[in-house]
Amino acid sequence: ALPSMTAEATTLMLRYCDGDPGAFRELYALLAPRLLGYLAHMARDRAVAEDLLQHTFLKVHRARAAYVRGADPVPWIYAIAHRTFLDEARRSKRAIARDDREGEVPEVAATLTGQERAAAEEAAPRHDPEVAAAAMAALESLPPQQREAVILTKLDGRSIAEAAEIAVAAARTPRAL
């Protein structure tokens, strides 16, 4: 996170953990736009991303006692958002499999590797569909962790250090979140 954003987020998280409800609103206002963009890139659907954002902040509220006081809360919150997205993708995939009576996956279903298709297509030059197709093929061929790194750095504008911090936090975040 940007140094000023990190300092502000840390201060707000400490105030929130100390019982200041206004701090939560301020933390939400500070982080929600970037988190929504991140989730929209992952989910390919703004309405789904908005739901995931709400679930993420609900989980932040429930897990605030697990927050390491004084630590930058941004990677921790991104890790919660990432886990929330993965849980939703798995749940959706299971629901699709149950509804698939004729062996065909409905057209509206996206595979986990296809979740980022719209984001990558938006990022690719619109005047060259071959470049967009090549970029998508390259993105889809990456292992999930590398694909996540590309999305965080190239589509969400995170630095490599921030992407690494988010990935480490995601790996350490308990599955219950």
Side-chain angles (χ1 to χ4, degrees):
L2 301 170
S4 62
M5 180 185 276
T6 297
E8 186 175 358
T10 302
T11 301
L12 290 171
M13 192 67 193
L14 287 171
R15 283 180 38 213
Y16 176 57
C17 288
D18 289 340
D20 179 354
F24 183 81
R25 286 188 291 278
E26 291 177 53
L27 185 67
Y28 183 93
L30 178 69
L31 299 179
R34 300 239 17 200
L35 272 172
L36 181 60
Y38 170 72
L39 290 166
H41 283 303
M42 296 291 288
R44 279 187 41 187
D45 183 314
R46 178 115 178 147
V48 170
E50 289 171 356
D51 287 345
L52 292 172
L53 180 68
Q54 298 307 314
H55 286 289
T56 296
F57 275 98
L58 179 60
K59 289 177 182 183
V60 166
H61 171 72
R62 289 179 179 158
R64 69 190 178 280
Y67 167 68
V68 177
R69 293 184 66 86
D72 179 2
V74 175
W76 180 68
I77 294 171
Y78 265 82
I80 293 170
H82 179 79
R83 293 275 188 208
T84 302
F85 165 76
L86 290 177
D87 290 345
E88 174 61 21
R90 287 184 195 111
R91 188 197 61 71
S92 295
K93 198 168 188 179
R94 283 192 303 270
I96 290 165
R98 282 193 301 272
D99 290 342
D100 183 18
R101 305 218 188 333
E102 298 178 13
E104 293 182 25
V105 177
E107 187 178 321
V108 296
T111 65
L112 283 177
T113 59
Q115 293 294 327
E116 298 88 5
R117 182 177 307 276
E121 287 173 352
E122 285 177 20
R126 298 208 182 268
H127 61 275
D128 192 344
E130 289 179 22
V131 171
M136 277 312 305
L139 186 63
E140 288 182 12
S141 70
L142 293 175
Q145 290 174 329
Q146 289 177 358
R147 188 171 48 250
E148 177 74 6
V150 170
I151 290 169
L152 283 168
T153 58
K154 301 301 180 193
L155 300 177
D156 195 42
R158 296 284 172 185
S159 71
I160 292 171
E162 289 173 316
E165 199 173 349
I166 289 166
V168 168
R172 291 182 182 160
T173 301
R175 296 306 250 158
L177 291 180

